[in-house]
Amino acid sequence: GNPATEEGLLAEDPSFPCCSGKRTSTTHVLDFENLPLGVRTPVTQRFSESASTLRWLLPRPPVVAAASGPPAEVPVARVLVASATDLAVAVVTFDEPAFSIDISAFWTPPHVAHLGSALVVEAVRGLEVVDRQVFPLAQGSPSVPIRCSDPRGLTSLTLRYQRQTDGTGTTEPSLETIEIRNLRYRTVREERDRIADQRRCQSQGAVAGGGKLAWLPNHDYELALTVRTTVDYQGSAQEAVVVQRAGFRTRGLPGLNAVESPGAELEPYLESAYPGATGVLYRREPVVLAFDERFSTLLPVDRTPAPGEPAERTQLLEWVLAVEHADGRRLSVPTADWIVSHRGTAPPPGPWVP
């Protein structure tokens, strides 16, 4: 696996991998590891698994160089600032509202005294600046990534170089450098899915697969969904709560419904069967059916249902594999697994004969 990804999962979900081992946390990444050293970065780059872009606003894009900060020698975009005035560095545009974005950056304090320069990070939702952070370059880079976050979502983010943040300082150009290692973000939708998955795991005892809910066969169900909508205009908020209901009726358990041919319900989930169309080789043959991962068990095998749990969480469907004549006469009987029944200790190898 990826140690960095696993560390991130552990930081956000202490129960990993017990609860979230079957879940992958989506993070969209933009870095410069696939670019050769010494070349300029493209003017526009895309994040992984998205259409979001990073666009450089400098007269010329930065050069890819080996990082001077930790971790050393990692390919970074080295922004060389030679301006005596404020300068727009780059803008990030998201393809859907972003919950948070982390920017890994490094710089060293400038050698010019009283320069008063700073890196400004502005996160925007529509036309509103929801987060603005100023990092004086004289204080050195932060030890953790720069994070901008808003639960309602960010639509864009701008990096700026600012001179004379306190209103004083020199106006002489300097050769300051800012290293951008990578940028990572997660959308509002992905963050909601992650939180919902965590709550679902916690409700199951913090164990992945800690219980499954299966609708009872031949039952009528009604689902009630409560939707709360809030509209805010010039400080005056109005809220409306709407309850929507949907009903449905379940069929029988898999394999117990009337179909045109036996096994038609289960055939879509069948991955392999033995013996196949080639027929049998011996007078006595085992019959084996293997289902794919879409056909899961109803009753969890890693826990015992607690007293008082609803019937939907305690269903158990036991099958017997049988081969029958058209008149119903059975030609097969279930037996124990042959390998398990004949398992033993192998004898030691004999002497080697040249």
Side-chain angles (χ1 to χ4, degrees):
N2 189 329
T5 302
E6 294 176 356
E7 287 294 331
L9 290 174
L10 285 171
E12 297 179 356
D13 189 358
S15 60
F16 174 83
C18 296
C19 185
S20 55
K22 298 180 180 180
R23 167 177 52 83
T24 56
S25 180
T26 303
T27 302
H28 307 281
V29 183
L30 187 149
D31 55 32
F32 311 95
E33 295 184 357
N34 295 328
L35 298 177
L37 300 179
V39 303
R40 294 192 179 274
T41 65
V43 177
T44 303
Q45 291 180 258
R46 278 195 174 187
F47 285 79
S48 61
E49 301 181 19
S50 74
S52 302
T53 59
L54 167 70
R55 182 166 60 90
W56 298 102
L57 304 178
L58 301 169
R60 290 186 298 175
V63 175
V64 179
S68 57
E73 304 303 324
V74 175
V76 298
R78 181 169 295 174
V79 179
L80 178 62
V81 181
S83 175
T85 59
D86 295 352
L87 183 67
V89 177
V91 60
V92 176
T93 304
F94 301 107
D95 57 352
E96 61 178 290
F99 172 77
S100 65
I101 180 171
D102 293 336
I103 305 171
S104 181
F106 174 82
W107 64 83
T108 56
H111 300 287
V112 180
H114 307 294
L115 192 60
S117 59
L119 175 65
V120 181
V121 181
E122 292 182 345
V124 179
R125 182 179 63 256
L127 300 178
E128 176 187 4
V129 178
V130 297
D131 190 5
R132 188 176 189 271
Q133 303 180 44
V134 180
F135 299 90
L137 299 183
Q139 298 179 5
S141 58
S143 57
V144 296
I146 302 171
R147 165 165 291 195
C148 296
S149 178
D150 189 276
R152 296 172 295 177
L154 308 173
T155 56
S156 65
L157 179 137
T158 304
L159 300 177
R160 304 181 187 276
Y161 173 76
Q162 181 176 313
R163 292 294 299 267
Q164 301 183 7
T165 57
D166 55 357
T168 60
T170 179
T171 58
E172 297 179 2
S174 67
L175 298 179
E176 300 172 273
T177 58
I178 302 174
E179 296 180 355
I180 306 296
R181 298 192 191 98
N182 56 61
L183 299 91
R184 301 171 179 266
Y185 83 90
R186 180 181 299 151
T187 66
V188 174
R189 173 180 53 83
E190 293 162 347
E191 177 67 13
R192 289 173 179 172
D193 292 343
R194 186 188 68 85
I195 294 176
D197 192 63
Q198 281 189 339
R199 299 291 174 84
R200 182 167 55 251
C201 288
Q202 294 171 1
S203 65
Q204 297 174 353
V207 178
K212 298 178 181 179
L213 179 67
W215 307 113
L216 294 177
N218 303 314
H219 274 63
D220 293 331
Y221 285 94
E222 182 184 78
L223 299 179
L225 305 177
T226 302
V227 180
R228 180 178 289 104
T229 305
T230 303
V231 178
D232 190 350
Y233 179 71
Q234 295 183 352
S236 177
Q238 295 183 353
E239 183 179 282
V241 178
V242 179
V243 178
Q244 298 177 324
R245 301 181 183 274
F248 61 92
R249 175 175 297 177
T250 60
R251 301 180 65 187
L253 290 172
L256 301 182
N257 298 289
V259 291
E260 295 182 0
S261 60
E265 281 187 301
L266 306 179
E267 187 174 359
Y269 307 99
L270 186 64
E271 184 168 332
S272 62
Y274 180 86
T278 57
V280 297
L281 298 177
Y282 307 98
R283 297 183 61 183
R284 187 176 181 180
E285 285 273 12
V287 179
V288 181
L289 298 179
F291 296 96
D292 58 24
E293 64 277 0
R294 296 176 301 164
F295 193 79
S296 61
T297 58
L298 300 182
L299 187 68
V301 297
D302 55 354
R303 72 171 184 88
T304 301
E309 285 193 333
E312 285 83 355
R313 298 192 65 179
T314 58
Q315 292 190 77
L316 176 62
L317 176 62
E318 295 183 351
W319 284 347
V320 174
L321 183 60
V323 178
E324 298 179 346
H325 271 298
D327 57 3
R329 287 183 300 158
R330 180 172 295 184
L331 300 179
S332 63
V333 292
T335 60
D337 186 271
W338 189 93
I339 296 179
V340 176
S341 301
H342 296 78
R343 181 177 295 161
T345 303
W352 181 75
V353 178

